[in-house]
Amino acid sequence: MHEWTICSAFVATHNHFVLERGGKVFKHSALIIKLPKDASEEQHVRLLGLLNSSTACFWLKQQSYGGGGDPLGDDGARVSAEPWSERYQFNGTNLARFPLPSAYPLQLSREIDGLAQRLATVTPMAVAASGVPSRERLAAARDEWHSTRARMIALQEELDWQVYSLYGLLDEELTAPAGSVPELKLGERAFEIVLARKVKAAEAETQWFARHGSTPITELPAHWSDEYRAVVERRIAVIEGNRNIGLIERPECKRRWASEGWDVMQAKALRDWLLDRCEAPELWYQHVDGLEQPRPLTTAQLADELRRDADVLTVANLYAPGQDLGKVIADLVADEHVPHLAALRYKDSGLAKRADWEQVWDLQRQEDALPDEAAKREFRKGIPVPPKYASADFLKTSYWRHRGKLDVPKERFVSYPGASRDGDPSLLVGWAGWDHGEQAQALATLIVAREQEDGWAADRLLPLVAGLREILPWVRQWHGEFDPEWGASPADIYAGFLAETTNRLHLTDEALTSWRPPKATRGRRAKQ
């Protein structure tokens, strides 16, 4: 039995219903439509087309609460500059009252659905996911993406006009004859031509064309067939003369087809492909005395490793033509890492919240150690709810983006600022895919290497030692059992190493917990 679901965003400027064919999990606020279990795919598709029509958009907006537009203000506030940018709350209660016609636009719905599925296979992200995104593969996909999207725009226009007839809003059939419908660019739909003419005549002002990257036209394109031209001319006349249709055939009810554009999507796809290659597990481990150990790398060293991969060089040249791979990798990693140590991640306000979280974690570990569920439930009542983080608690916006209000790690790399070897100014990073034991091992290895091989004194080693102290409770939680390969528990080994290191370097707990990175200083302008 198939698990089909029609779903939409709860808040949006327009109706954007999609058919989920199984496997997706939606947020609690998503608008979900479930048909009876025995409903066919065809029944889902025909309803999907109807719900995505301009008529449905008009009806939903009359029934729904609107407020707040696209972020247009200089301060990032939501400002409804024009009606089509205003956002509405489309909820299930209102949707349940949506009136259904006696017939559906099945054929057009099926065609548009098929094109939508095809479009998803020729995006830059899909190209990158199916193999190396070469120049040739991307160029072929780009042409098909533009063509498929233009065909979808044209057929959506046919569907909108067919639905008017299905609801009795038109006394005539104004869909174009089969085979006469050309691919359409944004700006070539009937309502857009009407709007462009009003703008030219100074009868209207709008950002519709500029915001959607379309070109306003006031005359019908010459390459259209006579049949299609006649249909569009009649549609324009109806928009201008039929009040009901004129209320719907306007930007606030017509599909926006808003898109980042191919170039932006391609840059993102190439970036993600390169970052995925940077995360290849084999880069982040080395074998020492027959054992696999985590291996931190500076971005320069990572670039040197990747230079051996011809595919990486090809894609990097597409992503950043002419740039040295070392700079490309450094730029890619710059916003994809989060430092290993709390003092390198948070401002003072964030560190205060982190202390509250650490107290809660300690209490939770005590709860886990209790013998029975009843005792655990009673103990749990005394555990406070820790505070949520805000963007202002983090030292960099990118750290906040990866961690969020609950400080859940989503970054690709863990970084060790200031821990690169002398002579290599590039950032030292590790793989965020390491478990806590491997992260502790990486820190211990770095401490030994910097002290014994590079001659670092205690003040330079302190942040690394503090990082090991900070992660040790998690090593104890997840790697506290005896490991026959190690001959002891990893937690005991690293706890012993930490104790020996702090004693040798004369580092107290207070020194480790109070360390802060030096504040950045701005140089004074030289006197003339």
Side-chain angles (χ1 to χ4, degrees):
M1 182 71 68
H2 291 286
E3 287 293 331
W4 290 305
T5 302
I6 295 176
C7 52
S8 175
F10 174 56
V11 177
T13 64
H14 287 64
N15 48 333
H16 298 292
F17 291 88
V18 299
L19 178 59
E20 164 53 33
R21 289 173 162 85
K24 296 283 194 311
V25 176
F26 301 97
K27 292 185 65 176
H28 67 281
S29 60
L31 186 58
I32 302 293
I33 300 174
K34 297 293 289 186
L35 298 185
K37 289 185 177 181
D38 59 350
S40 66
E41 183 177 20
E42 182 176 288
Q43 288 173 302
H44 284 81
V45 170
R46 71 179 190 177
L47 179 59
L48 178 70
L50 188 67
L51 291 172
N52 278 327
S53 69
S54 53
T55 304
C57 185
F58 176 83
W59 187 91
L60 285 168
K61 287 191 172 184
Q62 307 312 304
Q63 305 294 319
S64 305
Y65 172 77
D70 292 338
L72 301 175
D74 292 337
D75 60 354
R78 297 185 188 278
V79 182
S80 274
E82 301 190 48
W84 52 263
S85 72
E86 187 169 313
R87 298 188 178 188
Y88 286 78
Q89 293 181 1
F90 300 129
N91 60 64
T93 301
N94 290 335
L95 186 60
R97 299 196 300 266
F98 180 64
L100 299 176
S102 58
Y104 293 82
L106 176 58
Q107 182 59 36
L108 285 168
S109 299
R110 186 186 290 122
E111 289 186 60
I112 295 171
D113 178 62
L115 289 170
Q117 293 183 63
R118 178 57 188 163
L119 190 71
T121 69
V122 292
T123 63
M125 196 65 71
V127 173
S130 62
V132 180
S134 65
R135 189 183 305 277
E136 295 73 22
R137 292 185 67 227
L138 286 168
R142 179 191 60 220
D143 292 343
E144 187 165 356
W145 184 84
H146 282 295
S147 177
T148 302
R149 187 166 180 269
R151 182 67 178 159
M152 290 179 68
I153 294 172
L155 293 185
Q156 179 67 48
E157 189 72 354
E158 297 304 305
L159 182 143
D160 283 349
W161 284 90
Q162 183 179 19
V163 170
Y164 298 148
S165 296
L166 295 178
Y167 277 103
L169 298 175
L170 282 177
D171 295 329
E172 58 183 312
E173 180 67 43
L174 279 182
T175 53
S180 70
V181 181
E183 295 179 356
L184 291 185
K185 299 176 182 177
L186 291 181
E188 293 182 346
R189 291 173 289 178
F191 84 93
E192 290 174 310
I193 296 173
V194 171
L195 182 59
R197 289 174 178 176
K198 288 181 178 180
V199 171
K200 184 177 181 181
E203 297 174 0
E205 293 183 4
T206 184
Q207 289 295 310
W208 174 264
F209 301 103
R211 288 292 304 280
H212 297 89
S214 58
T215 302
I217 62 172
T218 56
E219 300 298 328
L220 276 58
H223 66 271
W224 286 357
S225 68
D226 292 341
E227 287 179 313
Y228 191 71
R229 288 173 63 89
V231 169
V232 175
E233 286 173 347
R234 181 59 188 147
R235 288 175 181 172
I236 291 173
V238 169
I239 293 171
E240 294 174 335
N242 183 315
R243 181 176 180 275
N244 292 331
I245 301 301
L247 285 172
I248 304 175
E249 281 289 309
R250 46 201 300 181
E252 47 265 48
C253 295
K254 299 291 288 187
R255 183 164 296 280
R256 293 176 64 175
W257 296 103
S259 166
E260 297 175 307
W262 179 269
D263 291 342
V264 173
M265 292 193 299
Q266 176 174 294
K268 287 183 177 180
L270 294 174
R271 183 179 186 277
D272 285 349
W273 188 94
L274 288 167
L275 281 167
D276 287 346
R277 282 301 178 97
C278 289
E279 282 198 79
E282 61 270 17
L283 293 170
W284 301 103
Y285 292 95
Q286 61 185 346
H287 284 85
V288 178
D289 298 329
L291 296 176
E292 189 176 66
Q293 296 185 3
R295 176 178 66 162
L297 297 168
T298 64
T299 57
Q301 291 172 324
L302 179 57
D304 287 341
E305 293 286 337
L306 292 170
R307 280 192 177 91
R308 305 171 187 174
D309 190 329
D311 292 338
V312 169
L313 296 176
T314 297
V315 175
N317 191 51
L318 285 174
Y319 175 71
Q323 280 192 19
D324 177 71
L325 186 61
K327 184 179 187 315
V328 173
I329 299 302
D331 290 345
L332 288 171
V333 171
D335 289 331
E336 296 294 334
H337 72 88
V338 172
H340 70 102
L341 182 63
L344 292 165
R345 297 196 295 268
Y346 309 111
K347 299 177 184 176
D348 288 342
S349 61
L351 288 170
K353 292 179 180 179
R354 167 79 183 196
D356 290 339
W357 277 86
E358 288 177 343
Q359 181 184 16
V360 169
W361 292 331
D362 286 341
L363 291 172
Q364 288 175 333
R365 292 182 183 109
Q366 293 176 40
E367 175 197 341
D368 292 339
L370 293 174
D372 58 73
E373 284 300 320
K376 290 182 178 181
R377 283 195 299 270
E378 188 62 30
F379 188 88
R380 194 178 302 138
K381 294 177 183 178
I383 299 178
V385 177
K388 294 180 180 179
Y389 292 90
S391 59
D393 295 324
F394 289 81
L395 288 169
K396 288 183 64 175
T397 303
S398 60
Y399 303 163
W400 159 253
R401 177 168 55 84
H402 290 303
R403 291 300 183 92
K405 59 187 178 182
L406 297 180
D407 201 21
V408 178
K410 297 185 291 291
E411 62 272 10
R412 289 174 179 264
F413 306 100
V414 56
S415 59
Y416 308 94
S420 301
R421 287 187 184 278
D422 296 335
D424 185 351
S426 61
L427 181 67
L428 182 68
V429 295
W431 185 37
W434 291 337
D435 62 30
H436 292 99
E438 290 168 332
Q439 291 183 46
Q441 187 176 10
L443 284 164
T445 302
L446 282 172
I447 292 167
V448 171
R450 295 298 177 264
E451 182 181 14
Q452 296 183 3
E453 298 174 18
D454 302 311
W456 284 16
D459 60 331
R460 296 186 70 183
L461 293 170
L462 194 153
L464 294 173
V465 179
L468 180 59
R469 178 192 178 279
E470 190 171 277
I471 202 172
L472 200 56
W474 296 102
V475 181
R476 178 72 64 189
Q477 180 168 335
W478 302 114
H479 304 277
E481 300 296 326
F482 178 84
D483 187 332
E485 191 173 75
W486 291 66
S489 89
D492 288 341
I493 290 175
Y494 293 123
F497 175 83
L498 177 63
E500 187 276 328
T501 301
T502 53
N503 287 335
R504 187 179 67 259
L505 298 177
H506 306 290
L507 297 174
T508 65
D509 254 14
E510 197 280 332
L512 296 177
T513 56
S514 64
W515 180 87
R516 299 292 183 269
K519 294 186 179 296
T521 56
R522 295 181 179 179
R524 294 182 178 179
R525 182 178 298 177
K527 294 182 179 181
Q528 299 295 326

